[in-house]
Amino acid sequence: MIPGSFDYHSPSTVEEAVALLTSLGEDAKVLSGGQSLIPMMKLRLAEPAQLIDINGIAGLEYIREADGYLTIGALTREADLDKSELIQQKYPILHDTAHVIADPLVRNRATIGGNLAHGDPANDHPATMLAVRAEVVATGPNGARNIAIDDFFLGPLTTALAPNEILTEVRIPVPAQGSGGAYVKLERKVGDFAIAGVAAVVTLDGNGNCSAASIGLTNVGPTPIRAGAAEEALTGNALSTDAIAEAGRLAGEASQPTSDHRGSAEYKRAMVQELTIRALTKAKVRAEGGQ
Amino acid sequence: MAQQNITIKVNGTDQAAEIEQRLLLVHFIRENLALTGTHIGCDTTHCGACTLILDGKAVKSCTVFAVQADGKEVLTIEGMTTNGELHPLQEGFMEEHGLQCGFCTPGMIMSSYALLQENKNPTEAEIRWGISGNLCRCTGYVNIVKAVQYAAQKA
């Protein structure tokens, strides 16, 4: 399949890319890893007249800790996240996530920035970013601003990015002592979008009680969903089997799945409930120092 | 039609052309260069038949524009043979009956090549994970895995 015709731009700095976005207006689209956008262009679901390829911008591929944050450059490939020792050892929830995004070939191109900026509730990073309470950096003509992840996803394929802003960095607070997180995805086969996915982070206090919990849900609504009632139910209580089961029930209630070829809404809600239990159980083990 | 001059080093040789900016890398390889060993299967980023190596990484060439490969290096299945000698992976697919119809084979070999570059001695699970972006509709993968193991042992 052949995409519609477009003018291709390959800026070498963020400033240049933002200037292009500003001058070219609504016809312009940013190309990052391209693993969602190019298929959409081939299917003519997207027909940007101006394509701004940011892959030539140096300095947007990095994974590092500084000032209490893990910062990840927007052009960091999923394969590099998947293989990063820092991520594997200190941020296993991120490794869980990157590891199950599409397949190895797609992960060699696909970027974390693109995964978020695309705004697709079926993508895996969004739920995880809700769970780790990330923020994203949007760079526009007036410089950079930070957007809390809870304010970022506005609807299907719609984010808080202004038309002339580029997502340049993802910022994740370094986890508090006694924290653990996990991402669990149910998929029909490798490479498919999730039937449902659940990201969970818990923090245990000195007595083993849950002092903080956060839960994000993949592909069961128009945006990634925060399971707020489940989080509240867990906070301040022991992470018992019963408490985790109740959180699963509440997360299932918070989901808004629709029936499609991946299953009925009822099935997906049941899967959210079970996956939440599994994600919380794994997060708890990790918070206690296990794998 | 937006045109652009590009130069891509394909299998060691610089290939310059004036192309449409919307041309996909797989079409440049197959149609401009007549290297038809790289196949088009699903054309929607699922099957991996179009896999080639772009600057050392295995990618689906139906999901990269040719202009994005300007100034970069590409290795295709045609570049795997040196002086008429088959690459151990090619030999392995023959010896272990790693193909039936052969449609997925070039992509399987290129993904396996990238895997063995990173991991000289992969376990069976690592091989299966490494080729999980490539679909075969004939063999059921068992002999493909054996073919990669053959190549790993020989290298």
Side-chain angles (χ1 to χ4, degrees):
Chain A
M1 292 173 288
I2 315 287
S5 200
F6 54 81
D7 286 325
Y8 175 80
H9 307 268
S10 185
S12 52
T13 64
V14 172
E15 292 70 24
E16 205 183 320
V18 168
L20 279 165
L21 273 178
T22 305
S23 64
L24 297 170
E26 281 183 3
D27 290 342
K29 186 86 187 155
V30 172
L31 176 67
S32 184
Q35 303 300 287
S36 297
L37 180 56
I38 294 176
M40 286 177 75
M41 290 173 67
K42 290 168 68 178
L43 293 164
R44 306 283 175 124
L45 297 171
E47 294 189 67
Q50 308 286 340
L51 197 60
I52 302 172
D53 181 358
I54 60 172
N55 286 280
I57 299 177
L60 284 183
E61 285 192 53
Y62 55 85
I63 303 168
R64 58 182 173 239
E65 285 182 312
D67 304 326
Y69 281 87
L70 171 72
T71 59
I72 305 173
L75 279 179
T76 303
R77 311 288 158 177
E78 302 296 355
D80 293 325
L81 275 178
D82 184 23
K83 291 166 191 166
S84 158
E85 272 185 38
L86 173 66
I87 298 296
Q88 285 176 14
Q89 285 164 15
K90 208 163 160 188
Y91 300 88
I93 185 175
L94 271 181
H95 178 256
D96 292 348
T97 310
H99 197 59
V100 295
I101 289 172
D103 61 54
L105 308 167
V106 169
R107 287 196 290 272
N108 277 336
R109 296 289 298 169
T111 66
I112 189 170
N115 192 287
L116 294 169
H118 189 44
D120 189 342
N123 280 355
D124 296 292
H125 277 306
T128 293
M129 293 305 151
L130 285 172
V132 298
R133 300 188 187 275
E135 48 192 52
V136 300
V137 180
T139 304
N142 302 318
R145 66 181 176 119
N146 292 4
I147 306 172
I149 202 69
D150 285 276
D151 301 328
F152 187 68
F153 300 107
L154 304 182
L157 307 186
T158 309
T159 70
L161 286 174
N164 58 359
E165 282 181 324
I166 295 175
L167 194 165
T168 47
E169 185 178 88
V170 178
R171 298 170 59 78
I172 296 169
V174 172
Q177 193 74 24
S179 297
Y183 182 65
V184 181
K185 176 184 185 177
L186 180 66
E187 58 186 354
R188 298 178 301 173
K189 63 173 192 63
V190 165
D192 195 16
F193 290 115
I195 296 166
V198 177
V201 173
V202 295
T203 307
L204 304 178
D205 65 19
N207 301 318
N209 287 331
C210 177
S211 58
S214 55
I215 300 170
L217 311 179
T218 297
N219 209 13
V220 285
T223 61
I225 292 171
R226 178 179 292 287
E231 294 173 351
E232 281 170 32
L234 290 168
T235 306
N237 295 311
L239 272 183
S240 64
T241 309
D242 285 351
I244 287 175
E246 174 62 8
R249 193 187 65 78
L250 291 167
E253 276 183 9
S255 67
Q256 305 163 32
T258 50
S259 299
D260 61 16
H261 59 288
R262 291 191 180 84
S264 67
E266 188 187 6
Y267 165 68
K268 291 181 186 177
R269 193 169 287 116
M271 290 305 101
V272 168
Q273 182 168 346
E274 175 59 25
L275 295 174
T276 300
I277 292 169
R278 292 185 192 182
L280 283 168
T281 304
K282 201 167 179 182
K284 183 189 174 199
V285 169
R286 286 175 173 167
E288 289 165 343
Q291 290 296 307
Chain B
M1 295 288 173
Q3 301 282 127
Q4 186 173 328
N5 288 307
I6 61 163
T7 303
I8 305 175
K9 184 173 274 192
V10 180
N11 301 330
T13 306
D14 276 341
Q15 303 283 357
E18 186 187 7
I19 58 160
E20 254 193 272
Q21 292 180 326
R22 63 175 171 170
L23 185 72
L24 293 160
L25 181 57
V26 70
H27 291 140
F28 178 75
I29 295 293
R30 286 179 55 84
E31 291 160 23
N32 293 54
L33 305 184
L35 295 173
T36 52
T38 303
H39 293 164
I40 299 175
C42 70
D43 209 4
T44 51
T45 329
H46 292 282
C47 79
C50 63
T51 304
L52 48 69
I53 309 294
L54 175 61
D55 269 2
K57 305 277 186 194
V59 302
K60 292 178 175 175
S61 62
C62 79
T63 314
V64 178
F65 291 113
V67 289
Q68 295 187 281
D70 185 22
K72 299 188 190 306
E73 287 191 32
V74 164
L75 177 66
T76 71
I77 187 69
E78 288 87 352
M80 293 293 282
T81 307
T82 39
N83 305 323
E85 287 265 319
L86 291 183
H87 187 277
L89 275 164
Q90 294 172 306
E91 201 181 298
F93 273 73
M94 270 173 48
E95 293 298 323
E96 300 293 343
H97 304 283
L99 61 133
Q100 286 182 32
C101 84
F103 197 85
C104 73
T105 311
M108 285 287 178
I109 289 180
M110 301 319 287
S111 279
S112 304
Y113 174 81
L115 171 71
L116 293 179
Q117 292 290 109
E118 279 189 15
N119 182 352
K120 300 232 175 298
N121 217 347
T123 63
E124 182 185 334
E126 286 168 340
I127 293 170
R128 286 181 178 274
W129 190 247
I131 60 170
S132 60
N134 298 77
L135 301 182
C136 167
R137 300 287 81 154
C138 305
T139 72
Y141 304 98
V142 171
N143 287 352
I144 294 174
V145 172
K146 285 185 190 164
V148 180
Q149 287 169 328
Y150 176 101
Q153 275 164 15
K154 198 168 176 197

